[in-house]
Amino acid sequence: MSDILERLDKLKTRIQEEDFLKGNGLSNEVNIHIFCYDPADEMAVRYFTEQLVADQDLACHVIEKNLYKAFLEICDDKRITKGAASMEEKKGKEYLKDQILRFANNKAFVEKIKPEEQRDGDVLLITGVGEVFPFARVHALLEAIQPEVPNIPILVMYPGSFNGRQLRLFDKLEPNGYYRAFNAI
């Protein structure tokens, strides 16, 4: 447990650094960072993000967007939330998944999670990654959000691993290629 706490402390320091906030040293790449962690540390990471968002003494402004909450809003907008269980019971889970994937696409997620205003010193913190699988995949979502959030850093809290080229959710699923992000720590 102390390893994850040390890494989270380093992350808190890192996101307040001017180079992080301005994207300095990224060779004109997008300012997207992945903080990978063991899925077993999920509760420690959730507690950390709650504290980070509430911390008024930071040298940055953290804007948390939880993908699971966005997913629920998307489902509510389409009025499928209440009927999902009965649809699954009648037609099966694959049918339900296919129906949801029609409207819970990257465009819908981007609309829900992009900050309305983006100011210097803001950091977009994306959480809830594991909770929305298989309806959203980070590699595809990051491709879609880049044009919408060009001026502030994006930090993804990722339960899995990233080797600089591939994301592997939960360290179990087949890796997906995404080369434009950087490891946060």
Side-chain angles (χ1 to χ4, degrees):
M1 180 64 93
S2 65
D3 181 51
I4 187 66
L5 298 179
E6 287 174 26
R7 291 182 64 237
L8 290 168
D9 283 343
K10 287 179 185 177
L11 180 65
K12 182 177 179 181
T13 300
R14 174 85 176 110
I15 66 169
Q16 297 180 76
E17 294 171 357
E18 188 173 342
D19 284 347
F20 179 88
L21 294 169
K22 295 193 181 288
N24 295 340
L26 299 181
S27 302
N28 293 322
E29 279 293 334
V30 293
N31 198 355
I32 297 175
H33 304 267
I34 310 285
F35 181 82
C36 298
Y37 60 92
D38 185 326
D41 293 326
E42 180 68 28
M43 298 316 290
V45 171
R46 284 186 191 184
Y47 179 77
F48 168 80
T49 57
E50 287 173 11
Q51 298 304 309
L52 191 67
V53 170
D55 191 339
Q56 298 294 312
D57 295 326
L58 292 176
C60 61
H61 175 242
V62 178
I63 304 166
E64 181 193 10
K65 296 295 181 167
N66 182 290
L67 294 179
Y68 184 67
K69 289 178 183 176
F71 176 71
L72 293 177
E73 288 178 20
I74 292 166
C75 289
D76 286 345
D77 292 348
K78 294 296 183 180
R79 298 185 177 143
I80 193 172
T81 310
K82 290 181 182 175
S86 65
M87 184 186 298
E88 180 180 11
E89 188 177 304
K90 290 177 186 170
K91 304 230 178 177
K93 66 181 177 182
E94 284 303 312
Y95 177 84
L96 176 62
K97 181 177 106 175
D98 290 343
Q99 295 305 305
I100 292 173
L101 286 172
R102 287 180 163 184
F103 59 82
N105 54 35
N106 288 326
K107 182 179 179 183
F109 274 98
V110 168
E111 287 303 313
K112 292 291 182 188
I113 67 172
K114 72 177 182 181
E116 289 182 26
E117 294 183 39
Q118 300 169 34
R119 299 185 183 122
D120 286 345
D122 286 349
V123 175
L124 175 58
L125 176 68
I126 298 177
T127 61
V129 170
E131 298 167 86
V132 293
F133 175 80
F135 300 105
R137 298 299 299 265
V138 167
H139 69 284
L141 183 61
L142 291 175
E143 286 290 335
I145 201 168
Q146 282 173 211
E148 301 293 329
V149 185
N151 300 319
I152 64 172
I154 298 171
L155 175 61
V156 180
M157 303 304 277
Y158 192 81
S161 58
F162 176 59
N163 66 8
R165 293 184 336 268
Q166 296 178 321
L167 292 158
R168 188 174 179 111
L169 188 61
F170 308 126
D171 286 329
K172 297 199 183 298
L173 300 178
E174 283 296 314
N176 289 95
Y178 187 76
Y179 62 92
R180 298 200 70 190
F182 299 91
N183 277 307
I185 298 292

